[in-house]
Amino acid sequence: MPKMKLKDIISPFYVWQRSFEKPYTNNKPIDERPGAPSYRGFHVNDIEKCVGCGTCETICMNNAIDMVPVENLTAQVGDSGLRPRFDYGRCCWCALCVDICTTSSLRMSNEYAWVTDNPDDFRFTPGVDEKPWDDHPLGYRRDPDYSLLKLERPAMTMLSAEEGLNSFDEVVHGFTPEQAIVEASRCVECNICVATCPAHMNIPGYIKTIREQDFEQGLRLLYETNPFSSTCGRICTHRCEDDCVISHLGKPLAIRWLKRYITDQIPAEKYQQILQHKITENGKKVAIVGAGPGGLSAAYFLRLKGYQVSVYESAEKAGGMLRYGVPTYRLPDDALDKDIDYILSLGVSIHYQTTVGKEIDFQVLYDENDAVFFSTGLNVPSGLRIKGEDHPRVLSGLQVLCDVASQRDPGVGKKVAVIGGGNVAMDAARVCRRIGAEVTILYRRRIEDMPADPEEIEEAQAEKCKFVTQAIPGLIEKAKSLKQVVIQWGEAEMVADDNGGRPRPVLQEDKMHTDSYDCIISAIGQAGNYSFLPEDIKQQLVSQRGKFTVSNHQQTSNTKVFIGGDIANKTADAISAIADGQNAAIGIDEVLSLGMGTK
Amino acid sequence: MPSISQQPHKFDPPLEPDLTSGKYVKIWHGPQHPGITGNMSLELTICGDEVAHCKTHVGYLHRGFEKLMERRTFIQNFPVVCRIAVPEPAFNEYLYAAAIEEIAEIEVPELAQWLRVLNLELMRLASYLMWLGGSSGSFGMTTVYQWTVTHRDYILDLFEEMTGARIYHMYITPGGVRAKLPEGFKGRVLKVMQGVEKLLYEVEKVVFNNHVFKLRSQGLGIISKDMIDEYGIVGPNQRACGFERDLRKDQPYLVYDQLDFEVVTETESDAYTRAWVRYQEMHQSVSMIRQVLDKMPEGGSFHADLPNVLHWNVPAGETYVKAECTRGEYGYYMVTDGSEYLQRIHIRGPSYTHAVSVMEKLAVGINIADVAGLMVSLHTYPPEIER
Ligand SMILES: Cc1cc2nc3c(=O)[nH]c(=O)nc-3n(C[C@H](O)[C@H](O)[C@H](O)COP(=O)(O)OP(=O)(O)OC[C@H]3O[C@@H](n4cnc5c(N)ncnc54)[C@H](O)[C@@H]3O)c2cc1C
Ligand code: SF4
Ligand code: SF4
C-alpha cells in the first residue's frame, strides 16, 4: 500500500480550476460547425462533365454505386448515358470513387449531417436528385498531384524523321512487350470505346488478353468483328481513342497500337489453327464488287455463314485504297497481306483484273447470284475547279500514291506543291519527300482546320514538308519549261461566320503570289464511279451528297443489292468499310436465310 | 483436480474452481459494460468480492477481415484495414501499405514518409488520450475523461483537415499518402500540442498525484519479468517491466531514425506504472510531432507511381512487417501470388495476448471492483483479436 503523502491528497483538488472554463462543445443547432475544406462528406457529381464510364462503380468495394439511366439524358458518343447512383446504406466514404473518377466530375461536399424520414432517400443520384448539400462548399477532391489512373502513354519507338525520309520502311515500330503491358493496364474497361468503334470491336476484351498474355484469345476476339486487324492496328483512324475516357485527364489508350501488338505476336501460319473457323456451306451465292476492306470484310463474314462468295476486282491485287493509297511506311504490304490471305484461305475467290461493267456486266452478277454487295470506293479525284488545271504537270494525289505503291515512278520532279489538307494530301506529300522532292503544302484554312489526322500533320512537318496555310489557288499557267508549271495563289483572311459555323477563308486580292513547281499535286477529295451500274438499278438507288442511302444493314431499296464502304458511309475510313461489310453480311443473311427484309 | 502426472505448466490458465462447492458465484462482466474495452466479455468466477477465475470471450466482434480481404483487390482493401482497430486505424493503414510496398518493391517518397510519421504520432497521441480518459473513468475519475476526450477531439479536427476524416482517415495508402498538408496546418498542430501539454500537466496533478488512484492502481496486475516473453507481452506493458524495447528505436522504420527520443522504461510493472509509461510517451509523441514539423521537407511528391489500381497484380511474395503502435508490436503477414488478389493475410495486434491470456492470469486474486481498471491498464482493442 502506497505511503500517504499530503501532496497526493491536495493535488487532485486542482480539478476545481476547470469549473470556471467555458464548455468546449458546440451548441448545435445554434452553432454549426462546417466540415474541413477537404472533408469527405456527401457526394456531388457534375452531371454534364460525367460521362457515365462506371469506373467509380468498378472501384467501390462496398458495391455502393450502381450505374443507372437518368431521365432527359440519352447516351451519346463518348457518354454511356448512365450516371452513378449511390447507396448510403453501403457507402463508407472512402472516396476511392472520387480519386478514380475519369473526368473529375465526382467530388464530395464538406457536409456530414443529413436527416431524412424516408429511407429511400439514401439511394440517390448526385447531380440529378436534389440534395440539401448541393450548394454547400466542396469538401474532398482528389489532389491534382496524385492519380489512381495512369494518364501517360509509354513512348513508342519510331523512325526519326531523317531515317523515315530515307526509306519506305514502317515508321512506327510497335510496342515492346513491357510497353504493351503497361499500356494495356491503363484501361478502365468502361466499354465506351466499343460504342464508338464503327465495328464495335470488343476493345476492353482484347486489351485484357494483353495483360493476361493470352494473344490467341486476343486474336479470336479481334476476328469476331474485324478481319483486318493487322491493318487497322496500323492505320485505323482510331475514333475509339477520341472517346477513351482516359483522354479527359490524360492521353487516351493507344488502342490501335495494342491491336497491332496482338496481331504482331502471332505468325500468319498460326491463324487458321487458332481461329478454327469451320464453314458449313449453305449453297447460296453472293457476288461482291471491289476487293477493298469493305468488300473483303463482307466476303469474310458471309463466308463464315456458309455463302459461296465471288469477289470482282479491277486491280491486280486486293486491298483497294489500303494497297494503292496508303503508303507502305504506314502500312507495309505484308501486314495487309496477312489479313487478306487469311480471308482468302476461308475459300473466298477473287477475280482479279476484272472490272465490273467492262470485263463482266453487273447484270450478270445480279442475275446469277442471290445477292450483290458493292464497295467500289472513291477513286475519281475531284478537280481543283480553277483555270488551267488540265495542265499535264497537274497530277492527282491518288495517282501519285498508286504509282508509288505499284513501284512506278510517279514523275513528280524535284519541287512539288500539294494542294489539300486531308490525309491523302499528307500521304502524297510525305511520299514525294521520300522520293527526294521538296514539298510545299498549300491549304485554304489554318492548320487546326485540316481534316488530316494530327499525327500525320506532325509527322509531315517533322519530315520538312513546308506548310503554307490560308493559301487559295487562283490560276494554273504554263511555265517556260514544259517540265514545270506555274501557280498563282492568294493569301486568305479567316472571317468569322455570322451563323456560328467555322470561320471561312476569304481571298485578299492584293496579296497574290506566283510560284513555279515541277508539278502540282491535287489532293482535295475524291468521288465514286458508278458507270458500271445498269440504268434500271441506278434508278432504284438513292443517294445524298454523293453517298448512297442504305439501311442499318447496308440494304438498298433493291432488296438484293447492298452497298458499303466509302461510297455509303460518311466517315470514309477503313474501319467503317469493315463495319459495313459485317453489317451487309448480317443483312444479306437475314434476307436470304430468314426471308425477311432488313431494318 | 489435475492428477500428479498432469502437472500444469506455471503459465497454464488456472483451473476453474468447483462451482458445486457453494463458495463461488459466476458473473458476466460485459459485453455491455462501461468498464470493458470494446464489446468483449469476461466470465468471472468470484469468491466473495475476489476473482477466483476469469475466462475471456471476444465472440461479439467477429468480422472476418482477413477472409474479406482475400476477396478485394489491393486498392479495395485499403479502406477496409482501418476498421481493425477503431481508435487507432492509422497503424493498420501503414502496415497494409508497408507490406505491399515491400513485396512490390515500391519506393515511398520522402515527404510521404514524414507525413506518415506525423500521422502515426498524432494517432498515438489521440489513442493515448482516449485511453487515459477510459483509464481514469475506470478508476472513478470521470471528469478527467471529459478533458482528455476534448483534446483528442482537437486532434481529430487536425485529422479531418489532413486526411478528410476524423476516425477512418484512409490517408496512408500503398505508395504514399493521399494528400499533402493543407495551408497553415503546421501552426494549428503546434497550437493543439500546446493544449495537450497543458492538459498533461493537469492530468499529472489530478491522476498521478492522487492518493486514491495510487491506492487502487499500485500493486494491481503486476506482470512479472518471466511473463514477458512467455506471453509475448509488448509495448508499454513490457516497458513498464523494465524492458527497453521499442520498434521505433530497435528497428527504425520510416524516418524514426532521424528523430531524437529515448525509450521510456519503468520497473514496477503494475497498473500505475503502465499508466505512467504511457503518460511519458505522450510527452514523447508531442516532442516527436514538433520534430517532424521542423525537419520534414517542404515539398516533393507524396505518392509513388503505381500501376493502374484496377489491374494491379502485386508480384508473388511473402512478408511480415511490423510497427510500434500504442500497445506494442503490430504485425502484418502477407502472402501474394502475383494475381490481383491477396492470397492470405494475417494480422497480429498486441491485444491478442494482452486481452486474453494475460488478462485471464492477472485477474485471479484481485478485487472485482478492480477488474475494469486492470483491463484498461493493459490497453486492449478487442477488434484486433477477432479479425
Ligand atoms: C491516300 C489514302 C490514305 C488513307 N489513309 C487511311 C488511313 O490511314 N486510315 C483509314 O482508316 N483509312 C484511310 N484511307 C481510307 C481507306 O483507304 C478507305 O476508307 C477504304 O479503303 C475504303 O474501302 P472501300 O472498300 O470502301 O473502298 P476501296 O478501298 O476504295 O476499295 C474499292 C475497290 O473496288 C475496286 N473497284 C472499283 N470499281 C470497280 C469495278 N467497277 N469493278 C471491279 N472493281 C472495282 C477498286 O479497284 C478497289 O480495289 C485512306 C485513303 C486514301 C486514298
Ligand atoms: S467515374 Fe466519374 S465520369 Fe465515370 S461514371 Fe463515375 S462519376 Fe461519372
Ligand atoms: S466513397 Fe467509397 S464506399 Fe462510398 S461510393 Fe465511393 S468508393 Fe464506394
Side-chain angles (χ1 to χ4, degrees):
Chain A
M1 182 170 291
K3 226 175 76 209
M4 176 134 39
K5 291 191 208 150
L6 188 60
K7 186 179 156 216
D8 290 350
I9 304 287
I10 299 170
S11 175
F13 287 97
Y14 186 89
V15 173
W16 288 105
Q17 272 215 351
R18 285 261 187 165
S19 329
F20 306 105
E21 281 186 32
K22 276 201 256 152
Y24 289 106
T25 41
N26 282 12
N27 208 1
K28 200 174 163 69
I30 297 162
D31 301 331
E32 287 293 347
R33 179 195 174 279
S38 57
Y39 189 74
R40 295 200 304 270
F42 302 131
H43 293 81
V44 289
N45 193 7
D46 180 341
I47 225 68
E48 301 298 328
K49 217 168 153 193
C50 169
V51 293
C53 67
T55 312
C56 47
E57 181 190 37
T58 311
I59 202 168
C60 178
M61 82 298 191
N62 289 322
N63 292 336
I65 300 178
D66 284 313
M67 298 303 294
V68 295
V70 163
E71 234 177 280
N72 303 326
L73 192 86
T74 43
Q76 350 168 336
V77 184
D79 181 342
S80 71
L82 305 175
R83 290 297 178 261
R85 185 186 63 190
F86 288 72
D87 181 350
Y88 273 180
R90 307 190 67 111
C91 176
C92 72
W93 287 275
C94 65
L96 280 180
C97 49
V98 174
D99 281 358
I100 204 150
C101 174
T102 56
T103 60
S104 290
S105 66
L106 190 62
R107 287 145 309 153
M108 282 166 155
S109 79
N110 73 346
E111 179 60 355
Y112 53 87
W114 174 36
V115 182
T116 165
D117 56 5
N118 179 4
D120 284 339
D121 287 351
F122 290 104
R123 250 191 4 233
F124 70 104
T125 309
V128 175
D129 300 327
E130 265 177 45
K131 289 292 168 203
W133 59 85
D134 283 348
D135 36 50
H136 268 257
L138 280 177
Y140 183 81
R141 282 146 283 175
R142 178 178 60 80
D143 191 305
D145 290 342
Y146 132 94
S147 171
L148 292 183
L149 299 168
K150 302 301 290 173
L151 299 175
E152 294 305 323
R153 277 185 191 184
M156 143 103 57
T157 40
M158 292 170 69
L159 290 183
S160 70
E162 295 75 47
E163 289 167 323
L165 280 182
N166 291 328
S167 72
F168 277 83
D169 288 351
E170 195 168 13
V171 171
V172 173
H173 287 168
F175 282 132
T176 62
E178 296 74 34
Q179 289 172 330
I181 291 187
V182 170
E183 185 59 8
S185 75
R186 299 206 300 132
C187 173
V188 297
E189 301 187 309
C190 66
N191 282 311
I192 283 191
C193 49
V194 178
T196 306
C197 172
H200 306 307
M201 298 192 73
N202 181 354
I203 297 166
Y206 69 71
I207 290 182
K208 183 173 179 197
T209 68
I210 299 179
R211 288 197 302 274
E212 293 176 348
Q213 302 282 291
D214 185 357
F215 307 120
E216 301 196 354
Q217 176 61 9
L219 193 75
R220 279 183 223 105
L221 290 180
L222 293 177
Y223 267 79
E224 280 179 3
T225 43
N226 186 347
F228 277 95
S229 290
S230 161
T231 300
C232 286
R234 290 172 164 80
I235 56 90
C236 186
T237 44
H238 55 86
R239 291 160 203 289
C240 50
E241 293 181 18
D242 297 345
D243 289 333
C244 172
V245 293
I246 304 296
S247 69
H248 294 286
L249 299 176
K251 270 246 177 312
L253 262 89
I255 300 174
R256 175 172 54 161
W257 304 143
L258 288 174
K259 177 161 44 241
R260 165 185 173 161
Y261 182 77
I262 295 177
T263 61
D264 282 359
Q265 303 316 301
I266 299 179
E269 51 285 4
K270 282 196 138 178
Y271 270 36
Q272 251 171 346
Q273 177 208 329
I274 294 168
L275 294 171
Q276 299 238 346
H277 284 133
K278 298 211 175 53
I279 290 160
T280 324
E281 302 290 343
N282 67 11
K284 299 200 174 89
K285 294 197 307 187
V286 180
I288 291 177
V289 187
L296 288 184
S297 158
Y300 166 80
F301 287 107
L302 285 165
R303 191 69 199 121
L304 294 188
K305 291 180 197 293
Y307 290 90
Q308 190 191 324
V309 182
S310 314
V311 184
Y312 297 85
E313 168 57 54
S314 47
E316 214 174 305
K317 288 185 173 169
M321 280 305 170
L322 297 179
R323 186 174 306 275
Y324 294 106
V326 183
T328 52
Y329 60 83
R330 291 207 286 129
L331 175 61
D333 281 342
D334 50 0
L336 176 62
D337 286 334
K338 197 176 183 186
D339 290 338
I340 294 178
D341 288 349
Y342 182 70
I343 298 173
L344 297 187
S345 76
L346 297 175
V348 169
S349 64
I350 305 191
H351 303 268
Y352 294 104
Q353 292 175 300
T354 309
T355 304
V356 175
K358 251 196 221 157
E359 275 82 21
I360 186 165
D361 274 346
F362 188 85
Q363 195 63 46
V364 178
L365 305 184
Y366 185 84
D367 295 337
E368 290 181 356
N369 287 280
D370 298 294
V372 183
F373 173 76
F374 66 92
S375 172
T376 47
L378 306 174
N379 43 24
V380 184
S382 312
L384 291 169
R385 281 189 236 135
I386 55 174
K387 220 171 124 196
E389 67 167 302
D390 49 0
H391 189 287
R393 296 309 298 149
V394 177
L395 310 177
S396 84
L398 287 186
Q399 189 55 49
V400 169
L401 289 167
C402 178
D403 284 346
V404 172
S406 317
Q407 326 257 330
R408 289 189 299 261
D409 177 8
V412 292
K414 289 282 161 211
K415 193 178 169 213
V416 173
V418 174
I419 300 178
N423 282 329
V424 179
M426 295 306 127
D427 281 336
R430 294 178 66 192
V431 158
C432 290
R433 287 291 292 133
R434 280 173 172 66
I435 51 180
E438 247 176 55
V439 176
T440 306
I441 298 172
L442 297 176
Y443 179 57
R444 302 167 67 80
R445 298 169 193 261
R446 300 161 301 183
I447 292 218
E448 57 266 40
D449 302 314
M450 285 189 163
D453 206 75
E455 287 167 28
E456 287 285 299
I457 298 173
E458 272 166 39
E459 286 171 29
Q461 283 170 327
E463 291 170 6
K464 304 219 169 65
C465 296
K466 186 174 160 204
F467 280 66
V468 179
T469 51
Q470 288 167 247
I472 300 185
L475 173 69
I476 290 175
E477 291 171 326
K478 281 193 190 124
K480 286 196 192 107
S481 153
L482 279 182
K483 288 187 180 156
Q484 285 194 321
V485 55
V486 169
I487 180 165
Q488 265 188 28
W489 58 274
E491 288 180 30
E493 195 182 22
M494 300 305 291
V495 177
D497 183 61
D498 293 339
N499 305 327
R502 60 175 187 162
R504 278 177 306 115
V506 175
L507 183 70
Q508 295 173 284
E509 306 273 357
D510 54 337
K511 290 190 182 161
M512 298 300 292
H513 301 261
T514 308
D515 294 323
S516 90
Y517 292 98
D518 293 345
C519 83
I520 290 171
I521 297 176
S522 132
I524 58 161
Q526 43 274 331
N529 173 359
Y530 312 114
S531 56
F532 62 90
L533 288 173
E535 213 39 54
D536 56 333
I537 291 184
K538 224 185 236 172
Q539 292 298 325
Q540 292 166 356
L541 305 180
V542 185
S543 68
Q544 218 185 5
R545 295 213 194 104
K547 304 266 174 170
F548 288 108
T549 308
V550 290
S551 74
N552 283 347
H553 287 146
Q554 313 300 130
Q555 195 178 32
T556 63
S557 41
N558 180 327
T559 51
K560 220 177 139 176
V561 176
F562 292 73
I563 307 180
D566 284 0
I567 55 175
N569 62 52
K570 291 195 184 71
T571 36
D573 54 7
I575 189 66
S576 306
I578 292 160
D580 288 355
Q582 177 177 24
N583 286 334
I586 296 169
I588 290 170
D589 192 48
E590 273 184 5
V591 172
L592 296 187
S593 66
L594 311 170
M596 45 197 243
T598 77
K599 279 173 255 139
Chain B
M1 293 301 284
S3 71
I4 306 288
S5 61
Q6 289 174 293
Q7 264 306 323
H9 183 271
K10 63 177 172 170
F11 291 129
D12 273 356
L15 291 172
E16 218 173 324
D18 177 13
L19 288 176
T20 56
S21 65
K23 278 165 63 186
Y24 302 102
V25 179
K26 193 169 249 195
I27 63 160
W28 283 81
H29 191 89
Q32 291 98 341
H33 187 285
I36 203 93
T37 41
N39 26 2
M40 242 182 107
S41 68
L42 305 175
E43 186 187 342
L44 301 174
T45 312
I46 51 170
C47 176
D49 55 7
E50 189 182 308
V51 176
H53 188 263
C54 165
K55 203 168 161 204
T56 52
H57 296 269
V58 275
Y60 296 90
L61 258 169
H62 184 87
R63 288 179 287 179
F65 285 112
E66 291 174 358
K67 207 70 200 158
L68 190 77
M69 288 169 73
E70 291 169 20
R71 304 277 193 279
R72 302 271 186 288
T73 60
F74 287 96
I75 193 71
Q76 288 181 326
N77 277 331
F78 139 75
V80 173
V81 289
C82 47
R83 293 168 164 75
I84 298 171
V86 188
E88 211 173 290
F91 292 92
N92 279 282
E93 291 184 10
Y94 165 62
L95 287 167
Y96 177 68
I100 292 182
E101 285 153 7
E102 191 165 312
I103 293 180
E105 294 177 17
I106 297 167
E107 197 161 329
V108 179
E110 199 193 341
L111 176 62
Q113 302 207 22
W114 286 92
L115 290 172
R116 282 179 175 188
V117 171
L118 179 62
N119 187 262
L120 291 174
E121 288 308 316
L122 282 170
M123 183 81 267
R124 188 182 314 274
L125 203 49
S127 176
Y128 272 158
L129 284 171
M130 177 111 153
W131 163 83
L132 185 56
S135 163
S136 311
S138 294
F139 287 104
M141 299 173 283
T142 38
T143 311
V144 176
Y145 180 84
Q146 316 286 335
W147 301 353
T148 62
V149 165
T150 300
H151 285 269
R152 171 180 177 262
D153 253 70
Y154 291 142
I155 297 183
L156 301 191
D157 287 350
L158 294 176
F159 280 137
E160 182 177 332
E161 253 198 275
M162 179 181 188
T163 71
R166 301 174 71 79
I167 305 289
Y168 292 139
H169 313 143
M170 306 178 200
Y171 176 68
I172 300 177
T173 99
V177 296
R178 232 168 153 184
K180 39 187 180 287
L181 290 186
E183 208 62 38
F185 184 72
K186 290 185 181 178
R188 291 189 287 280
V189 177
L190 291 175
K191 195 162 159 240
V192 173
M193 290 306 113
Q194 244 175 9
V196 170
E197 268 182 338
K198 180 164 175 282
L199 166 84
L200 290 179
Y201 167 78
E202 294 169 346
V203 164
E204 188 175 343
K205 277 188 174 331
V206 175
V207 177
F208 291 98
N209 291 335
N210 181 330
H211 186 63
V212 180
F213 178 61
K214 282 184 175 174
L215 268 181
R216 292 194 59 188
S217 63
Q218 289 185 343
L220 175 66
I222 295 180
I223 297 176
S224 61
K225 272 198 161 29
D226 55 352
M227 277 177 79
I228 296 291
D229 287 346
E230 197 82 26
Y231 279 82
I233 296 170
V234 289
N237 290 350
Q238 88 177 327
R239 291 196 282 275
C241 185
F243 286 77
E244 198 182 320
R245 290 180 187 162
D246 186 323
L247 288 171
R248 291 175 292 175
K249 199 69 166 180
D250 304 339
Q251 297 177 25
Y253 46 97
L254 295 169
V255 291
Y256 279 108
D257 54 354
Q258 298 178 50
L259 300 180
D260 185 23
F261 68 102
E262 295 300 326
V263 176
V264 178
T265 54
E266 293 290 338
T267 49
E268 301 305 311
S269 201
D270 55 11
Y272 183 90
T273 319
R274 290 194 282 272
W276 183 239
V277 167
R278 291 186 186 109
Y279 173 81
Q280 294 176 68
E281 290 189 359
M282 292 171 76
H283 278 293
Q284 189 181 58
S285 282
V286 172
S287 146
M288 284 192 192
I289 288 165
R290 290 201 176 112
Q291 292 180 49
V292 170
L293 294 181
D294 212 34
K295 293 185 179 169
M296 66 185 274
E298 279 303 320
S301 144
F302 56 87
H303 203 279
D305 206 25
L306 297 184
N308 178 350
V309 294
L310 297 180
H311 317 294
W312 190 6
N313 296 53
V314 171
E318 181 179 349
T319 188
Y320 175 75
V321 290
K322 50 191 185 291
E324 188 79 23
C325 75
T326 55
R327 292 143 296 125
E329 173 173 335
Y330 212 109
Y332 266 55
Y333 171 66
M334 183 184 280
V335 186
T336 53
D337 56 8
S339 73
E340 296 184 2
Y341 297 92
L342 280 168
Q343 191 178 46
R344 180 76 170 93
I345 187 153
H346 183 70
I347 298 155
R348 200 271 189 197
S351 302
Y352 195 83
T353 48
H354 296 169
V356 180
S357 42
V358 176
M359 182 64 196
E360 285 180 358
K361 162 126 179 114
L362 297 184
V364 175
I366 69 168
N367 191 294
I368 185 163
D370 290 333
V371 168
L374 171 67
M375 176 106 199
V376 176
S377 86
L378 296 172
H379 196 189
T380 58
Y381 291 151
E384 67 193 26
I385 305 169
E386 283 268 61
R387 320 129 322 248

